[in-house]
Amino acid sequence: MSPLLGAILLYVAALIGFLLGTAAFVRFAVNRLIGRKHRLLEEILDTGKLPQAWTDGAARPADAEKRVRRLAAYVRKTRLVDGEETRALLLARLEQAGTSGKE
């Protein structure tokens, strides 16, 4: 095999590795940034309560309130909510869960 062909094959292999690594990182980042919020919203919508991790004894109540406010701000600004009715429902459930979490 000539050195030029070896260099080309090495370049192509490195390029494919870089592309696969980038795709895996983007998938991880999207899941971490967006997927987690939507799973939390789904849990709150299904149960009507704040997640157990937010309300256990280790976390302060102020932290749970702060998380609810952040999640509500995300719901207000994101385009990933189906429509305005869904957005209003999510905000109402967040407010309801936040007030029930204070008790």
Side-chain angles (χ1 to χ4, degrees):
M1 177 178 349
S2 73
L4 180 60
L5 184 59
I8 291 173
L9 287 176
L10 182 62
Y11 174 75
V12 169
L15 185 62
I16 290 172
F18 177 76
L19 290 175
L20 291 176
T22 301
F25 174 74
V26 168
R27 190 174 328 122
F28 168 77
V30 167
N31 185 36
R32 180 107 170 137
L33 295 173
I34 297 172
R36 184 171 22 166
K37 291 176 186 172
H38 285 264
R39 283 190 297 275
L40 286 170
L41 286 170
E42 185 176 0
E43 181 181 346
I44 292 169
L45 191 62
D46 289 344
T47 64
K49 300 178 193 173
L50 295 178
Q52 185 67 29
W54 290 8
T55 57
D56 65 355
R60 297 181 311 200
D63 291 340
E65 291 176 29
K66 186 177 179 181
R67 289 177 175 174
V68 169
R69 282 195 310 269
R70 283 184 187 169
L71 206 51
Y74 172 76
V75 169
R76 282 187 198 96
K77 71 178 180 178
T78 187
R79 295 185 200 175
L80 299 176
V81 173
D82 187 30
E84 290 306 314
E85 295 111 15
T86 307
R87 189 179 314 273
L89 175 67
L90 284 171
L91 289 170
R93 289 285 174 94
L94 276 172
E95 183 179 334
Q96 179 185 22
T99 55
S100 70
K102 291 178 185 177
E103 298 170 355

